[in-house]
């Protein structure tokens, strides 16, 4: 047998086996199932970043033309930077620096890009999202030195800042008949828009143009203003009091971003907004009613533990404290949580708390004193005491925790708890959060529930509900990713019930990934996005929380790639 002739086949088999066995602890013979559809829906894309690739290349890397470098740069920053980092040093995804990629070689990288892995690395080639030629370009591009994007300071921000409706020209009272407390802001990811949906009538009342791939929506303390931020770092300020809610200000705070919030402490309501950038690694404090940039602070610095310098510590998530005039800023690569005192911007006070790498997202406990944030590739939850400005605990959990805001409920045995699902395994960690009345179980995993599998993005409950919902939107098995698991929190040990959300939507084609349960204000309905491709039909499915039966299906040609949904009242008051 000619060993050279069969070497590529052997390499292909070995690389695919490695990809399959990484994330969920699957055995090599178990291959992930991927729907062969156009899937920007397989994984959140990074934002496009205008970087000019340098002419100089790594001499050991395979040759690339200038046009191929441009293609590789564009694909990387649209698809890959969010997980692997702008400088390719890794975070949720593995590092992709030349010292690693050159050793792997072009053939290995092509196979991995083509087939992906169950850990959340999409199957870019076999899904049809990248052509064979693009896969080849990316395999060679990743062996080149990463191009460094430009900085983005005050001058660049002000060049993008627009006040479309000055505060003095805005309504003095609410000018519409909407029940704002039961309004939903739904991300229309690939359309670069958000849909405002009336929670009572289930009708779209307004579609507002925003930045690319909106990541989150946040409410001002008063509930009047809606702030949304896209992955292209554009922040839109939307006035919900207008006859038809729409944009009143806009700004870009960088080239790629994920987080925004507003001041909530008594006496400072609606005064400031803050946005955190992936690139440049910094956060920006703005006027709450105009988005005028006031203070920009870099997050570059030393990594927790190793004390090595990191050039790209991205701001992963931000929440506003209810106890002090502070923003809680979580920095991914350095593993620091920054308690930013906004009471005096000229003499800014920042308390840096050593947590763990790589910080991602999280939420408040039921008392809003403790903030629990996922250090996802450290497989830990960091507990931040926002009253005493210190680390309360580091809790070991499952593989790649991804809580969204998490879920607070009262466990029959352990009292108040907070829960997170995982991207990398089937576990749901339930953590005790009451150090006063349940000290023995505080900041410990008191239960590990079994879900349908890995790939979970969001977990949710409500104070008026006895159900806990867990999605598995990034699970490679379409039978799992198109459904949700529901637990009865009065008896979580009995296991879960599966709701066929995608089937209930009536949509037959596409991956039909079900993502992000969100309650209405009353806590008696749960909304789910059925997330399909840009050219495919998507929907929002509403479930009756009491009966776990289908209540409504929202379909509209304007519902293009719906993902996150944010109820105004619940988001305003941090109810989850």
């Amino acid at each position: 047998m000619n060993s050279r002739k069969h070497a590529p086949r052997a390499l292909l088999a070995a690389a695919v086996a490695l990809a399959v066995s990484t994330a969920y602890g699957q055995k090599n013979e178990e291959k992930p199932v991927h729907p062969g559809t156009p899937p920007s829906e397989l994984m959140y894309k990074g934002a496009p970043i205008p970087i000019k690739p340098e002419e100089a290349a790594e001499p050991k890397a395979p040759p690339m033309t200038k046009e191929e470098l441009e293609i590789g740069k564009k694909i990387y920053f649209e698809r890959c930077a969010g997980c692997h980092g702008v400088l390719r040093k890794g975070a949720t995804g593995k590092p992709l620096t030349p010292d690693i990629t050159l050793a792997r070689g072009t053939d290995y990288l092509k196979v991995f890009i083509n087939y992906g892995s169950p850990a959340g690395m999409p199957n870019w080639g076999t899904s049809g999202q990248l052509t064979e030629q693009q896969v080849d370009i990316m395999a060679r591009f990743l062996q080149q030195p990463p191009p460094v994007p430009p900085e983005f300071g005050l001058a660049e921000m002000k060049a993008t800042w627009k006040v479309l409706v000055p505060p003095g020209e805005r309504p003095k009272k609410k000018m519409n008949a909407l029940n704002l407390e039961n309004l939903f802001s739904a991300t229309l990811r690939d359309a670069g828009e958000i849909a405002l949906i009336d929670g009572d009538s289930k009708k779209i009342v307004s579609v507002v143009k925003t930045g690319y791939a909106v990541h989150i929506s946040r409410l001002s303390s008063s509930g009047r203003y809606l702030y949304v931020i896209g992955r292209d770092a554009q922040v839109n300020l939307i006035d919900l009091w207008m006859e038809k809610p729409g944009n009143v200000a806009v700004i870009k705070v960088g080239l790629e971003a994920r987080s925004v919030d507003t001041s909530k402490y008594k006496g400072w309501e609606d005064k400031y907004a803050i946005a955190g950038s992936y690139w440049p690694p910094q956060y920006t404090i703005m006027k709450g009613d105009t988005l005028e940039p006031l203070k920009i602070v870099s997050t570059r610095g030393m990594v927790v533990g190793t004390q090595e310098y990191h050039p790209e510590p991205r701001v992963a998530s931000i929440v506003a404290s209810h106890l002090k005039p502070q923003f809680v800023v979580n920095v991914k690569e350095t593993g620091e949580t920054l308690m930013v005192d906004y009471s005096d911007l000229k003499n800014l006070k920042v308390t840096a708390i050593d947590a763990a790498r790589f910080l991602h997202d999280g939420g408040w406990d039921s008392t809003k004193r403790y903030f629990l944030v996922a250090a996802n590739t450290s497989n830990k939850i960091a507990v931040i005491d926002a009253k005493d400005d210190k680390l309360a605990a580091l809790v070991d959990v499952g593989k790649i925790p991804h809580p969204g805001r998490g879920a607070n409920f009262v466990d029959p045995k352990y009292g108040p708890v907070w829960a997170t699902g995982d991207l990398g395994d089937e576990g749901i960690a339930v953590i005790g959060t009451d150090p006063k009345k349940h000290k023995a179980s505080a900041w410990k995993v008191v239960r590990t529930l079994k879900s349908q599998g890995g790939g979970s993005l969001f977990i949710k409950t409500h104070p008026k509900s006895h159900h806990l919902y867990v999605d598995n939107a990034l699970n490679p098995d379409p039978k799992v990713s198109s459904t949700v698991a529901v637990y009865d929190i009065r008896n979580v040990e009995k296991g879960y019930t599966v709701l066929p959300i995608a089937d209930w939507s009536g949509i037959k084609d596409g991956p039909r990934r079900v993502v992000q349960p969100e309650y209405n204000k009353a806590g008696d309905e749960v909304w789910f996005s059925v997330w399909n491709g840009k050219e495919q039909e998507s929907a929002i499915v509403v479930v009756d929380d009491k009966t776990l039966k289908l209540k409504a299906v929202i379909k509209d040609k304007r519902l293009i790639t719906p993902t996150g949904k944010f109820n105004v009242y619940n988001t305003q008051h941090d109810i989850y």
Side-chain angles (χ1 to χ4, degrees):
M1 181 178 291
N2 189 324
S3 59
R4 289 186 179 182
K5 179 179 179 181
H6 293 277
R9 186 182 302 172
L11 174 66
L12 174 68
V16 172
L18 174 64
V20 172
S21 63
T22 51
Y24 303 139
Q26 288 178 278
K27 296 179 181 178
N28 286 354
E29 66 267 22
E30 294 176 340
K31 294 183 179 180
V33 180
H34 293 280
T37 55
S40 58
E41 57 276 9
L42 276 177
M43 192 67 172
Y44 289 127
K45 297 182 290 186
I49 296 180
I51 296 173
K52 296 179 181 179
E54 300 296 330
E55 297 296 334
E58 164 61 50
K60 296 181 181 179
M64 297 188 74
T65 66
K66 186 175 181 179
E67 291 73 21
E68 288 176 330
L69 284 170
E70 286 285 353
I71 293 170
K73 178 258 307 186
K74 183 176 187 296
I75 292 173
Y76 182 82
F77 289 106
E78 286 184 352
R79 308 290 195 228
C80 316
C83 285
H84 297 282
V86 172
L87 302 181
R88 307 211 303 254
K89 290 183 176 293
T92 305
K94 299 291 185 182
L96 295 173
T97 47
D99 59 312
I100 297 171
T101 55
L102 281 168
R104 296 289 189 268
T106 301
D107 288 339
Y108 176 94
L109 293 171
K110 284 171 66 174
V111 169
F112 203 76
I113 295 167
N114 201 46
Y115 286 89
S117 82
M121 167 69 179
N123 55 326
W124 297 114
T126 58
S127 68
Q129 193 153 355
L130 294 183
T131 66
E132 183 177 349
Q133 180 185 16
Q134 289 172 326
V135 169
D136 177 70
I137 288 173
M138 289 308 299
R140 289 181 286 131
F141 176 80
L142 292 177
Q143 297 173 71
Q144 305 289 343
V148 180
E151 299 297 317
F152 205 88
L154 185 63
E156 289 80 6
M157 287 187 196
K158 285 198 169 182
T160 71
W161 173 49
K162 297 178 183 178
V163 179
L164 307 174
V165 183
E169 298 177 14
R170 297 173 196 168
K172 301 298 187 288
K173 61 180 181 180
K174 189 164 78 76
M175 301 301 292
N176 56 63
L178 296 172
N179 177 8
L180 293 184
E181 291 188 338
N182 201 33
L183 190 71
F184 288 77
S185 173
T187 298
L188 307 181
R189 180 185 168 75
D190 292 345
E193 299 170 334
I194 59 115
L196 297 176
I197 305 176
D198 179 10
D200 297 336
S201 68
K202 313 294 189 294
K203 302 293 185 182
I204 295 177
V205 298
S206 182
V207 173
V208 183
K209 287 288 183 184
T210 60
Y212 168 81
V214 165
H215 191 64
I216 58 171
S217 298
R218 291 292 178 259
L219 272 296
S220 65
S221 182
S222 67
R224 172 177 183 170
Y225 290 116
L226 176 70
Y227 301 79
V228 299
I229 190 165
R231 295 188 175 220
D232 59 355
Q234 180 170 305
V235 181
N236 288 71
L237 176 60
I238 298 166
D239 188 352
L240 300 180
W241 279 14
M242 296 168 67
E243 184 175 353
K244 184 177 182 181
N247 287 311
V248 294
V250 63
I251 192 173
K252 279 179 66 71
V253 294
L255 301 176
E256 188 177 5
R258 293 294 187 277
S259 52
V260 68
D261 212 333
T262 68
S263 51
K264 292 184 177 179
Y265 185 62
K266 187 176 181 180
W268 296 87
E269 299 94 335
D270 295 13
K271 185 174 179 63
Y272 294 129
I274 182 173
S277 302
Y278 266 25
W279 190 271
Q282 61 194 29
Y283 57 88
T284 303
I285 299 175
M286 303 162 282
K287 283 187 177 179
D289 60 353
T290 66
L291 302 182
E292 178 184 357
L294 302 174
K295 187 79 172 182
I296 305 170
V297 183
S298 173
T299 54
R300 291 182 172 100
M302 313 309 284
V303 173
V304 168
T306 63
Q307 298 294 292
E308 61 181 315
Y309 177 75
H310 199 293
E312 190 194 357
R314 298 174 288 174
V315 178
S317 59
I318 300 174
V319 295
S321 175
H322 299 261
L323 303 177
K324 298 178 182 179
Q326 283 184 337
F327 293 121
V328 184
V329 177
N330 300 284
V331 186
K332 186 181 289 285
E333 277 75 12
T334 56
E336 285 189 325
T337 294
L338 308 178
M339 311 300 285
V340 179
D341 185 336
Y342 54 73
S343 62
D344 184 355
L345 297 187
K346 290 186 177 180
N347 301 283
L348 193 70
K349 296 178 182 178
V350 179
T351 300
I353 300 173
D354 287 1
R357 302 174 76 188
F358 291 80
L359 296 181
H360 192 59
D361 56 0
W364 294 106
D365 80 309
S366 58
T367 69
K368 297 182 176 62
R369 171 174 175 171
Y370 298 98
F371 181 70
L372 294 92
V373 57
N376 51 28
T377 50
S378 295
N379 302 328
K380 297 179 185 295
I381 296 293
V383 183
I384 307 299
D385 185 341
K387 180 180 178 181
D388 293 339
D389 290 352
K390 66 180 183 180
L391 181 71
L394 282 176
V395 185
D396 291 319
V397 292
K399 188 173 183 180
I400 316 180
H402 195 289
R405 288 298 185 101
N408 287 301
F409 59 96
V410 178
D411 185 275
K413 182 176 180 180
Y414 299 105
V417 296
W418 179 92
T420 176
D422 297 333
L423 269 172
D425 62 33
E426 63 185 9
I428 298 169
V430 181
I431 300 170
T433 61
D434 183 6
K436 290 185 177 180
K437 296 182 179 179
H438 298 81
K439 188 175 181 179
S441 58
W443 318 135
K444 297 176 182 177
V445 175
V446 296
R447 297 184 190 275
T448 299
L449 308 179
K450 182 179 179 181
S451 73
Q452 295 192 83
S456 176
L457 290 177
F458 298 101
I459 185 170
K460 190 65 68 81
T461 188
H462 188 278
K464 296 181 181 178
S465 171
H466 60 82
H467 288 128
L468 176 70
Y469 297 84
V470 182
D471 72 22
N472 294 96
L474 294 186
N475 191 285
D477 185 345
K479 293 180 180 179
V480 175
S481 62
S482 64
T483 63
V484 295
V486 189
Y487 300 80
D488 187 332
I489 58 180
R490 299 169 298 186
N491 184 11
V492 292
E493 293 179 340
K494 73 177 184 181
Y496 55 81
T497 300
V498 176
L499 302 185
I501 301 296
D503 288 346
W504 285 350
S505 74
I507 297 172
K508 303 298 182 184
D509 299 324
R512 307 181 308 160
R513 293 182 176 272
V514 175
V515 63
Q516 205 239 5
E518 177 76 353
Y519 281 83
N520 63 346
K521 179 194 175 184
D524 58 10
E525 291 178 357
V526 190
W527 293 35
F528 301 90
S529 295
V530 180
W531 175 22
N532 252 342
K534 188 174 182 179
E535 305 302 324
Q536 298 168 314
E537 185 180 30
S538 291
I540 292 175
V541 171
V542 182
V543 172
D544 186 316
D545 180 64
K546 304 298 181 185
T547 64
L548 300 183
K549 302 295 184 182
L550 175 64
K551 188 169 185 178
V553 177
I554 303 172
K555 289 185 177 180
D556 190 296
K557 63 181 181 180
R558 295 171 291 177
L559 278 180
I560 299 171
T561 59
T563 51
K565 304 158 300 302
F566 303 89
N567 174 267
V568 164
Y569 184 86
N570 294 336
T571 305
Q572 177 187 356
H573 296 281
D574 288 314
I575 296 173
Y576 35 82

